[in-house]
Structures are given as C-alpha cells and as structure tokens.
Amino acid sequence: MIEERIKADVLCIGGGIAGLMAAIRAAELGASVVVAEKGNVQYSGCGRMGNDHFETYIPKIHGADKDAWIEELLRTAKGEILIGKDLLRAQFMKAYDIVKLWDDWGIPMKYKGRWEFSGHSFPDHPMTHIKYEGRFQKKILTSQAKKRGVKIINRVMMLDLIRDNNKVIGAVGVHTREDRLLIFEAKSVVLGTGKCSRLYPPLTPGWLSNDPHGGSQSGDGRAMAYRAGAELQNLEMPQRHIGPKYFTRFGQGTWVGVVKDWYGKSAGTFVDKPDLRYGDMICEVNKLAPEQYTQAGKGPLYMDCTDMTDEDHEYMMHWMKNEGYPAMTEYMAAEGIDLRKHPIEFMTYPIRGGGLIVANEKAETSLKGLYAAGDESYGDISAAATFGYLGGENAAIYVQSIKQVAIEKNNPVIQKIQKLIDDIKGHENGPDWEETSVALQQTMSDYVGKVRNESLLLQGLQHFRRIRQKTRDTLMAKNPHEVARCLEVFNLLEIGELTFLMALNRKETRGLHNRPDYPFTDPRLNQAHIIRKSKNDNILDWKSY
Amino acid sequence: MPPIINSDDCIKCNTCVEICSEDVFYGSKKGEVPHVAYPKECVHFNGCVSVCPVPGAIRLRIPLPMQLVYKEEETS
C-alpha cells in the first residue's frame, strides 16, 4: 500500500460545520491546517444541504439575563441534552459573534434586514432560534477556509489517532478511492466527525441509507478517540426523533402546522392553527407522540399545514429549501403534494445511538492535543459552529508551545491498520459490510434497544462479541470504497460493544434508557456517565456535569 | 432510488462524481457519463442535482419505501 505523509500544526478530521470552523479559526491564528474529509467538504455532514435555524442569544433583544434564557432553552430545544450548563454558557457567550461572522462571510443570517426569530419556542416565551438562509453554507465556509490557506483533502477516511505518551501527535487514514494510506503528523487534532448514525436499524429494514443523517456518519471520531484513551460519555442514552413518514428528515421546527389526528383533533395544546413564529411544540416536548398514538389505537398523527395562507406557505417553503429539504420539496412538487391541501403523516423515528466525546468549554477532550466539536461532542448547528471555532482557536494556541514529534514507519497503530486492511482484502466468501451492518443493527435493537434488563444485555453482549469476532475474521471488500465501508462497520462494532457495557452499568431507568429491572430514576446518577480504555480494560465512572 | 442520468444531456463534467459524499459514483472516469456503482448508498440529499450545470441532466427517483404518507384532500 502506498504511504503518503502530510504535516500540519492542526489536523481537522471531518469537514462539516465544526471541522471547517475549527480550520478557519486555527488558520486565522497562524497555524498550518489540513482538513481530512471522508466525502467532499462542500457536501458533507449534517449541514450538507443547508440549515435554517441557529440558536443565539442577542443581548439587545433578550436582555441581560443570559441564565434565564438558558433555562428557557433547557425547557425547549436542549431538554434532552445531557451536558453541563457551563458548556451552554460558553456557547452563548460566543454564538452571536459567530452569527455576525457568518453574515459577513455571505451566509444571510437576517431575513429582510431583521433578526427573524421563529420555531423551537413556546408561544409567549423567549424566542431562541433565528432563521437564516444556510443553503450555501458549506460552499461559503469551504471558500473561507481556502482563503486562509487551509489545505483540504477529500476522500480520506481517518482511522486512528497516534499518541506519544499522553499527547496526540497525529493520525492515520485511508483513501476511499485509491489504495493509499495517509499518515498525518500533526501537533493537534480536532475531531468534527459527526454522529454515530448506523448503530440501530434504519426506518426501512435493511435499507441502510434511509437515515436523516445520511450514510457515512459512523461514529469514526468517537471510536478513534476511545481507542486512543479519551473519555466518552452516555453512549447508552438513546435518542428518538420525529419527522415526516417515510421520507426521513430532521428539522421539525421548519414545519409551520398543527399536529392533528385523522379527524382533525389537535394532539397538543400549544397552537390551534399554523403560526409562522411557532411550530407545534408537541414535536419538541414529546417526540414519541406519533408512536404512542398508534399504540393506543388513535393513530396516525399528521403535521397539518392546511389552514395556511398562500403567503405563509411561501414563507415555509422558502425555509424548507434552506433547511436542506430540496430533495423532498422537488419530490412533493413532482407528485402534486401540496402542504396547503395535504396533511403529512409524522412519525417517531427509530431508536438511535446517543452519547459523545467528552469535551469542555474550550473543546478540549481528556487527551492532550485532542479537541472535539459538533455532533461528535455536542451538536446542533450553533454549537457545532461555536465549539468548532473555539476548538480551532485553542488548538492553534496549544501548538505554539509544542514540537512536532516524528511518527515512525513501524508505529504499532499504523502496522495494525495495515494488517486489518490486508486481511479485509484477502478474505473470500465472507460477509460484506452491508450484511454485517444488518447483523449489528438487529442485535443492538433486540438486546440494547427500547427495553434493557441485565439478562437481556448479557446475552446480547455475548452474541454481539461473536458477531464482532466473525466480522474481524471474515469481512471482505473488493475495492477501496468497500474497504472504507468495512472500516466504518468496525467503528460501529466498537461503539456498539461500549453501548452494551454502559447500559449494563446504568442501573436505573432514565429517559429512553428503559431498565424494567431498575424501574426508577436514581437522582444520585444525575451525572455524566463516562467510559475510557485503560490498556485492555474499560474504566466506567460517574462525574459531575 | 439512485440518481438517474440522462446521457444525452450529460456534459461529462463529473461535478456530481466529485461532490457525492457517499461516493455512489465510485469508479466513474473523467470524460465519461458517470456510472452509479452503489445505488443503494444514495441518501437522497439532492447534492448531485443541485450542482449539475445542465438542468434535467440528473434527477433523483425517490424509492417506494421512502414515499411520503399523506391524507388526500377532502372533497365534499
């Protein structure tokens, strides 16, 4: 396999919103920066096709009491996020500056010359999200990064971090189109690698790509952070989301309608007719509502936008195009689906993996020289942009006092990866990555899914480990594209096993972690649940937020 | 399901091949009409349709399992 060496002060892994913002800021402060992206930075990550809402505190509008505003966020968009208030505070000290920067760079953050607050808020409560036209945000951020001399390498899947004693000194990846290993010697690394989205079965069985995050966010960052010894948090806390059935898309805040049943009866009490400023907060406060209605024999539930003027409809469609919905809006136009006439069924999407890489308000992880931002630590567009920026800033400051350490050719991490890839290429008659994904997902769903109890988890873990070993021994690929897909599956298997261990260790019921053998929430566990690797063992711990 | 390319209109610029994050066009060669090697990996985000310089040269077919469920208009 050909080897290529690349040197940089700061290596940003993943070129989504967080990765590009980190790259922009680090380069601005004089660091040499490389972005390594699995796809193409212009169309990668959750913000690939755009976004239309950005949470920000604006002192002139919200007044001086930032904490009251943060409390409001905890009642609304941030209700399910298990992070400390210090992080939220750090985000909102900075988010408005980022809004102004983006506006200067050509991402329109104002609507008709004003801050337009809408969605994700209760009527008569403080508004938390501004509408913005993010349709071309990735293109604009890419050009801002290039302007500052950032080197972008597309089509490289990063696999592992390389450490020297306690600090990160680089990383190794594989090209997804050519038989080539890329070794990065970097004084610091920022992980902006996105979600871990293929751990549980997709909405359509076996149809791996019907996922609102897309297919390539496979927890690569958290898997490599864990293998290098960084702390991960709350992997066992699953998430559910709500959106249109069966065309999976997030962004329920963009829909201006009322959630109603077949007979036109509202499911919630927040709005009684479509309101441009407030979507129906039932989607925020109870994402399980459609599933519960169906189970109770009262389904289905619809997002009903029919009681809407043409002008309001035009407004909503404008934001849908910016929110990254063009595939759906073009499909609706071609099918004659008109939201003024047709209520769209909404559903509770299947269970998804949760958790994050532990990072503080400076985006520092528990490993020296390693930073994390965006969905891999604490996501949403505003947090990704803000902590990406802060991570890049702090990485650039950190590298000023660090000397580059050379990575030896026979570094054990590189040798291990080379052997793994050679084995995959050498296997015959084994499963491909899709077969393994289906086995992984069904085991996750059946044994660490909606209901978990000790015996179920123990049996699931045994089976999971057998699948994992068989995968290691037999998984095969016929070209670099498939090799990368296989390596994604190995990362998912890594995170899946840790999810079992953490679910066993959380002896309580909380949120969607449903343990009938421990049916109550234990207030003593209002803490971050941590896992990290220590030699060949795992250390599980609880820490205050 | 996969992107559908109208080979008469395609100008073989390979812009779609370059930007697809899932790399469904893997193996396509410059100067040729792109080949959809991994149709099932398409995530239907419309990136390829958005960047195509020739309107209509590429389009998505939304697969049957992904069709929206909606209530027909009441006519009384």
Side-chain angles (χ1 to χ4, degrees):
Chain A
M1 205 170 197
I2 302 166
E3 271 186 29
E4 186 183 344
R5 295 242 167 187
I6 297 124
K7 285 188 183 173
D9 289 334
V10 179
L11 165 66
C12 298
I13 302 184
I17 299 292
L20 285 176
M21 286 299 283
I24 287 169
R25 184 57 177 156
E28 216 163 55
L29 295 177
S32 67
V33 184
V34 175
V35 174
E37 160 63 47
K38 195 164 25 169
N40 181 307
V41 284
Q42 290 201 36
Y43 283 89
S44 66
C46 288
R48 62 173 88 183
M49 293 305 291
N51 283 103
D52 78 331
H53 56 289
F54 194 110
E55 58 195 355
T56 186
Y57 164 83
I58 300 181
K60 257 190 189 170
I61 292 175
H62 295 108
D65 191 354
K66 198 170 289 169
D67 282 350
W69 187 83
I70 288 174
E71 287 300 326
E72 184 64 23
L73 261 186
L74 290 168
R75 275 191 288 274
T76 55
K78 290 279 175 284
E80 291 176 3
I81 292 183
L82 301 170
I83 54 165
K85 282 189 196 168
D86 286 351
L87 273 176
L88 284 175
R89 222 169 268 126
Q91 180 185 349
F92 297 112
M93 291 292 283
K94 196 75 204 168
Y96 183 44
D97 290 341
I98 304 290
V99 166
K100 289 183 281 187
L101 271 181
W102 279 23
D103 203 49
D104 284 347
W105 294 345
I107 302 172
M109 303 301 284
K110 285 184 173 173
Y111 177 69
K112 295 187 174 171
R114 63 174 190 260
W115 300 119
E116 174 83 345
F117 281 87
S118 167
H120 296 287
S121 301
F122 294 108
D124 306 323
H125 275 233
M127 306 289 288
T128 48
H129 291 67
I130 52 165
K131 301 299 271 185
Y132 79 102
E133 294 170 0
R135 203 167 169 185
F136 302 110
Q137 60 187 8
K138 290 298 308 287
K139 220 175 192 170
I140 292 167
L141 294 180
T142 303
S143 98
Q144 289 294 327
K146 284 183 175 166
K147 221 179 187 175
R148 289 163 177 78
V150 171
K151 185 177 178 187
I152 291 170
I153 305 177
N154 289 319
R155 309 290 169 198
V156 52
M157 178 182 174
M158 297 307 297
L159 300 171
D160 264 314
L161 299 163
I162 297 178
R163 267 175 59 171
D164 176 51
N165 294 321
N166 203 29
K167 68 175 192 287
V168 170
I169 57 164
V172 58
V174 62
H175 203 279
T176 67
R177 287 184 174 176
E178 296 158 14
D179 210 15
R180 184 150 49 103
L181 210 60
L182 291 96
I183 298 161
F184 294 82
E185 291 183 349
K187 294 178 190 170
S188 79
V189 175
V190 183
L191 293 171
T193 21
K195 295 256 182 196
C196 183
S197 67
R198 294 189 344 237
L199 211 45
Y200 287 88
L203 172 59
T204 309
W207 205 289
L208 299 170
S209 60
N210 193 0
D211 185 300
H213 282 127
S216 47
Q217 296 191 44
S218 44
D220 303 341
R222 61 192 68 187
M224 71 178 98
Y226 164 77
R227 287 193 288 266
E231 292 179 343
L232 306 185
Q233 177 187 318
N234 293 352
L235 298 178
E236 77 287 11
M237 296 303 291
Q239 298 171 352
R240 307 285 304 271
H241 217 86
I242 189 170
K245 187 177 186 174
Y246 289 105
F247 200 130
T248 59
R249 285 293 181 269
F250 292 158
Q252 82 274 2
T254 305
W255 294 74
V256 178
V258 183
V259 177
K260 293 180 177 174
D261 69 8
W262 173 269
Y263 304 101
K265 189 169 179 276
S266 298
T269 53
F270 304 110
V271 283
D272 50 19
K273 59 174 198 263
D275 185 310
L276 294 189
R277 297 191 76 200
Y278 307 103
D280 193 336
M281 284 296 277
I282 189 83
C283 295
E284 210 83 61
V285 299
N286 185 12
K287 293 181 168 62
L288 302 182
E291 186 169 284
Q292 289 166 348
Y293 260 64
T294 305
Q295 284 167 353
K298 299 193 296 182
L301 277 182
Y302 301 88
M303 175 58 77
D304 191 333
C305 312
T306 56
D307 197 9
M308 182 180 243
T309 63
D310 289 349
E311 200 184 332
D312 288 0
H313 176 257
E314 199 183 318
Y315 177 92
M316 178 171 71
M317 297 309 280
H318 169 75
W319 294 117
M320 281 198 170
K321 281 172 191 153
N322 280 292
E323 172 65 358
Y325 272 50
M328 189 186 290
T329 52
E330 285 178 23
Y331 153 82
M332 288 194 295
E335 294 280 323
I337 301 172
D338 184 338
L339 298 179
R340 285 164 295 189
K341 297 176 185 164
H342 303 118
I344 302 292
E345 190 177 338
F346 258 42
M347 69 175 297
T348 307
Y349 290 152
I351 192 169
R352 324 170 49 78
L356 46 87
I357 301 169
V358 176
N360 65 14
E361 62 277 11
K362 290 177 160 181
E364 294 165 334
T365 71
S366 57
L367 273 187
K368 219 171 162 191
L370 183 66
Y371 299 78
D375 280 323
E376 201 68 270
S377 73
Y378 155 40
D380 82 37
I381 196 80
S382 161
T386 306
F387 288 110
Y389 187 87
L390 293 172
E393 183 169 287
N394 291 310
I397 295 167
Y398 166 80
V399 300
Q400 287 168 5
S401 57
I402 292 291
K403 269 195 176 165
Q404 181 61 57
V405 180
I407 297 170
E408 302 290 329
K409 197 176 164 54
N410 61 358
N411 181 290
V413 174
I414 299 175
Q415 287 187 329
K416 200 175 159 194
I417 286 171
Q418 271 177 331
K419 174 153 185 6
L420 180 62
I421 294 171
D422 287 344
D423 286 351
I424 294 170
K425 290 196 284 198
H427 290 149
E428 285 179 11
N429 305 318
D432 61 10
W433 71 272
E434 285 173 302
E435 179 183 328
T436 308
S437 293
V438 173
L440 151 84
Q441 291 173 345
Q442 80 177 1
T443 312
M444 293 296 293
S445 174
D446 287 347
Y447 293 93
V448 62
K450 288 186 196 171
V451 178
R452 298 118 181 241
N453 56 275
E454 189 177 82
S455 49
L456 194 70
L457 288 163
L458 288 169
Q459 177 60 78
L461 183 57
Q462 286 182 359
H463 182 69
F464 193 89
R465 283 178 166 154
R466 285 194 289 266
I467 294 287
R468 192 173 174 192
Q469 189 58 48
K470 271 187 203 291
T471 301
R472 179 65 188 84
D473 295 342
T474 58
L475 189 64
M476 57 177 209
K478 58 176 189 281
N479 59 41
H481 174 81
E482 292 184 13
V483 166
R485 290 291 191 203
C486 289
L487 295 165
E488 289 178 342
V489 170
F490 283 117
N491 283 337
L492 290 162
L493 287 162
E494 185 92 77
I495 299 303
E497 185 164 333
L498 299 180
T499 305
F500 271 102
L501 296 176
M502 296 195 86
L504 274 162
N505 196 51
R506 187 184 278 279
K507 294 182 172 63
E508 64 160 354
T509 289
R510 180 183 295 260
L512 298 173
H513 173 71
N514 178 15
R515 289 273 315 243
D517 50 349
Y518 295 95
F520 303 111
T521 298
D522 183 345
R524 294 170 300 175
L525 303 183
N526 292 346
Q527 300 187 77
H529 190 197
I530 306 287
I531 193 164
R532 74 180 164 85
K533 190 178 177 177
S534 171
K535 291 190 178 159
N536 290 321
D537 208 1
N538 287 301
I539 294 175
L540 285 141
D541 203 0
W542 301 88
K543 287 186 181 174
S544 305
Y545 281 121
Chain B
M1 165 166 77
I4 298 167
I5 297 167
N6 180 338
S7 53
D8 291 339
D9 291 345
C10 174
I11 58 167
K12 302 166 188 166
C13 65
N14 272 42
T15 309
C16 55
V17 176
E18 284 316 307
I19 67 96
C20 177
S21 273
E22 306 303 326
D23 214 7
V24 303
F25 305 105
Y26 174 82
S28 293
K29 294 188 178 72
K30 277 192 178 154
E32 293 177 12
V33 174
H35 161 65
V36 185
Y38 290 95
K40 284 203 299 193
E41 294 175 34
C42 175
V43 291
H44 314 99
F45 272 76
N46 232 38
C48 54
V49 178
S50 308
V51 298
C52 182
V54 185
I58 188 165
R59 66 183 175 88
L60 290 185
R61 180 178 74 75
I62 302 302
L64 295 180
M66 279 185 75
Q67 302 285 309
L68 282 173
V69 181
Y70 61 96
K71 198 175 162 189
E72 282 170 18
E73 196 179 2
E74 280 171 27
T75 49
S76 55

